Amino acid sequence: MTDIDTRSSTSAPSTTALLDRLRTAPRAGAKPHSLSPEALAVAATPAPAPISPIVLAGFVRMAEFALVVAIGLAVFAAYGLADEGDFWRYAGAIFAIALLSMFAFQTADIYQVQAFRGHEKQYMRLASAWSVVFLIVIGTSFFAKAGDMFSRVWLGSFYVVGMAALMTSRKILFLLVRKWTREGRLTRRTVIVGGGVTGEHVIEELQRQKDSGVKIIGLFDDRGDARSSMDCAGERKLGVVDDLVEFGRRTRVDLVVFSLPISAEDRILQMLKKLWVLPVDIRLAAHTNKLQFRPRSYSYIGTVPVLDVFDRPIADWDVVMKWLFDKLIGGLALILLLPLMALVAIAIKLDSRGPVLFKQKRYGFNNDLIEVYKFRSMRTDAADATASKLVSKDDPRVTGVGRFIRKTSLDELPQLFNVVFKGNLSLVGPRPHAVNAKAEARLYDEAVDGYFARHRVKPGITGWAQINGWRGETDTHEKIKRRVEHDLAYIEDWSVLFDLYILARTPFALLKTENAY
């Protein structure tokens, strides 16, 4: 197999079981180490936004389907058939040919990035599949005695023009894919955990494969130089696993591969305790293990068998669906709520001096700092941009209008601009917290183990925790713990329907204002 990380139907172990073990395991080193100069140099190298191979293949399918339909209609129009009955008969045939072409191209295995990178092979397979489609159409029309219903000139022209157009589109696709590959947008930036002999085997096997789509950007190992040298199969060790967490915050990491044997279960568990908070795929290399599982238990990176440990949440088509959901529903909500937002802005301006909007730094996806918009609810001279002191009941810093809009969550409405225009918030997701927010005088990440795992997805205006009563002040360990538990449950169970359900329940949840000050 040459696919990048083809999903298996039976993954081992299950994500839910691993999460339970990680949450009950002893707390692993809290604070990340400072990175080595070598790691900082790699992290400083620009990493362009990735393109999902699965999404790319899907768009190519849709584009070629549309191209085949357009060519069929164009040839029909050029042929000069104007009768309405002819049009619908030909339109049906064109749609059937386009649909049959997609199945033929899929069977020819030309809907994957490796095929897009190819030159002669993809053209030969494309030509063969396109020819088979028309042989099937001709054979079907012959046996159905429907040959007189369609023009032979139209069918022959459709075949020739379609072949030329598809070849041209594939040439353009080849050039684009080559450009994106050179830019690193179609490669999975991969980190290897564990050096030594097993690490060398994994690295050499991945480097040996052409067009695997994997680019190794670093090696991390907790063992000292005596057991794991600084250099492994040409890859320089950049640090220990604690360093990898900070490294993953500074640069794009798509995949983490453990080269450790399965027998090192306790050691792997301790490392996963540190790494599961990152939005990356985590795999355990299995090609050097003597313990053999069923073939379906493995997925593959190129030809290297691996066991799936964690998948990045909301990936591939899920990212597209959530983006469309945010832009369409968020844009509609913004239009409908603009009059209400204008009234709130006027009330704020009449109530106290200062700007209408308040900007605050909060933690976003992968712990990046983002700037979130809110309606100002506090006196300008008492504004606390870092939330070093949480707002409490009857807080004197809050204005009269501010107290009302905080209780009703109207102060959150400007965050729709973050969703629709800036794209650093979603409609639904874990609520973003201010950088210095505390519970019982402890920062949230110190109060709750695994806190940063909630940042594996983009934060949202509303969320699963909020509609279950965990909104407003989080002044105790129990409150922030329960909020994080709900956030992690949302990440594991995410779906578009789940987002719709949360949005539908949000107005009713806002009626409960006990903890909103």
Side-chain angles (χ1 to χ4, degrees):
M1 293 179 65
T2 57
D3 288 86
I4 303 173
D5 193 29
T6 304
R7 303 288 186 221
S8 60
S9 59
T10 307
S11 61
S14 72
T15 300
T16 303
L18 266 173
L19 286 175
D20 291 340
R21 295 192 64 184
L22 290 177
R23 289 167 185 157
T24 56
R27 185 182 177 98
K31 293 297 182 183
H33 296 177
S34 58
L35 295 179
S36 65
E38 294 87 352
L40 286 172
V42 175
T45 304
I51 297 174
S52 165
I54 294 174
V55 174
L56 176 61
F59 276 113
V60 172
R61 285 185 180 91
M62 291 187 286
E64 289 188 339
F65 181 88
L67 180 62
V68 171
V69 171
I71 290 167
L73 292 174
V75 173
F76 171 81
Y79 191 62
L81 294 172
D83 183 80
E84 184 177 349
D86 288 337
F87 172 79
W88 290 112
R89 184 169 68 253
Y90 276 82
I94 291 168
F95 182 83
I97 290 172
L99 197 61
L100 186 59
S101 299
M102 299 304 101
F103 284 112
F105 296 161
Q106 182 67 44
T107 304
D109 201 23
I110 57 174
Y111 280 135
Q112 55 173 315
V113 173
Q114 285 77 12
F116 303 156
R117 290 193 181 106
H119 207 55
E120 291 81 6
K121 281 188 177 180
Q122 77 159 329
Y123 298 141
M124 290 296 294
R125 290 179 180 179
L126 176 67
S128 299
W130 183 246
S131 300
V132 167
V133 168
F134 276 81
L135 286 174
I136 292 173
V137 170
I138 292 170
T140 301
S141 63
F142 173 78
F143 285 108
K145 296 182 179 181
D148 294 336
M149 297 177 64
F150 299 97
S151 166
R152 294 179 180 84
V153 175
W154 171 80
L155 194 61
S157 301
F158 192 1
Y159 173 78
V160 173
V161 175
M163 177 79 78
L166 288 168
M167 290 288 189
T168 301
S169 69
R170 283 282 170 153
K171 178 64 177 179
I172 295 171
L173 178 63
F174 166 76
L175 296 174
L176 285 173
V177 167
R178 185 171 65 177
K179 175 178 178 291
W180 292 332
T181 302
R182 287 174 178 171
E183 293 173 351
R185 301 188 67 185
L186 278 171
T187 55
R188 303 191 77 187
R189 292 167 60 85
T190 302
V191 166
I192 306 297
V193 174
V197 176
T198 54
E200 287 183 0
H201 288 165
V202 172
I203 293 171
E204 289 172 353
E205 188 65 28
L206 291 174
Q207 290 176 338
R208 189 179 298 119
Q209 301 172 51
K210 294 182 179 180
D211 293 331
S212 67
V214 168
K215 179 183 179 182
I216 299 174
I217 61 172
L219 170 71
F220 291 80
D221 198 342
D222 280 347
R223 295 175 295 180
D225 296 345
R227 298 180 60 195
S228 175
S229 64
M230 291 298 294
D231 188 87
C232 181
E235 294 295 331
R236 186 76 172 168
K237 187 164 75 171
L238 300 182
V240 296
V241 175
D242 278 335
D243 297 325
L244 176 52
V245 176
E246 185 179 353
F247 182 78
R249 302 294 191 201
R250 290 174 176 261
T251 189
R252 193 189 106 212
V253 177
D254 302 312
L255 175 66
V256 173
V257 178
F258 281 81
S259 65
L260 305 173
I262 297 176
S263 57
E265 180 180 355
D266 291 339
R267 189 170 162 220
I268 292 172
L269 187 63
Q270 287 301 317
M271 291 182 176
L272 288 175
K273 179 72 174 176
K274 304 168 185 176
L275 298 181
W276 75 291
V277 299
L278 292 174
V280 298
D281 292 333
I282 299 179
R283 303 288 181 260
L284 176 61
H287 77 299
T288 59
N289 291 297
K290 296 180 181 180
L291 182 62
Q292 297 294 316
F293 294 96
R294 292 180 301 164
R296 291 180 62 190
S297 297
Y298 298 107
S299 61
Y300 290 84
I301 304 172
T303 58
V304 176
V306 294
L307 294 173
D308 296 356
V309 182
F310 283 113
D311 291 329
R312 174 176 175 165
I314 312 183
D316 300 323
W317 279 109
D318 290 342
V319 174
V320 178
M321 294 300 296
K322 193 160 180 62
W323 183 87
L324 289 173
F325 182 88
D326 287 338
K327 298 303 180 185
L328 295 177
I329 305 299
L332 180 62
L334 182 59
I335 293 171
L336 294 176
L337 291 171
L338 275 177
L340 176 59
M341 293 171 69
L343 291 176
V344 173
I346 294 171
I348 292 171
K349 205 66 179 173
L350 294 175
D351 181 58
S352 61
R353 293 181 179 181
V356 169
L357 294 180
F358 175 70
K359 293 185 290 187
Q360 188 177 57
K361 296 288 186 182
R362 297 194 175 192
Y363 283 119
F365 174 70
N366 199 21
N367 253 35
D368 287 339
L369 284 179
I370 61 174
E371 197 169 58
V372 171
Y373 298 121
K374 297 183 69 175
F375 280 127
R376 181 176 59 84
S377 58
M378 302 173 71
R379 300 194 323 270
T380 304
D381 61 334
D384 184 7
T386 61
S388 56
K389 179 184 177 182
L390 294 178
V391 175
S392 57
K393 190 173 183 179
D394 299 323
D395 197 313
R397 297 174 299 168
V398 180
T399 65
V401 170
R403 189 164 289 109
F404 173 76
I405 63 175
R406 291 181 71 92
K407 271 191 171 293
T408 56
S409 289
L410 292 175
D411 62 322
E412 311 283 359
L413 290 181
Q415 290 173 25
L416 287 169
F417 291 106
N418 287 92
V419 173
V420 177
F421 297 111
K422 299 192 73 172
N424 52 15
L425 281 185
S426 286
L427 285 175
V428 182
R431 286 289 297 139
H433 294 151
V435 291
N436 288 329
K438 297 176 183 177
E440 296 181 8
R442 296 177 67 189
L443 294 171
Y444 287 165
D445 65 299
E446 297 173 348
V448 181
D449 200 10
Y451 168 80
F452 286 125
R454 67 196 298 276
H455 298 156
R456 289 181 294 159
V457 300
K458 198 180 294 185
I461 296 178
T462 184
W464 183 233
Q466 282 64 44
I467 68 167
N468 281 281
W470 301 103
R471 62 183 284 254
E473 188 180 18
T474 49
D475 54 333
T476 66
H477 289 170
E478 178 64 20
K479 287 180 180 179
I480 188 60
K481 180 181 177 183
R482 294 302 300 272
R483 180 180 286 191
V484 171
E485 287 175 352
H486 282 79
D487 290 339
L488 297 182
Y490 165 80
I491 293 172
E492 291 301 311
D493 298 333
W494 177 86
S495 69
V496 173
L497 289 178
F498 195 17
D499 276 2
L500 283 170
Y501 174 72
I502 292 172
L503 278 182
R505 279 191 55 185
T506 295
F508 301 99
L510 296 178
L511 298 176
K512 299 177 181 180
T513 62
E514 293 86 355
N515 295 324
Y517 309 133

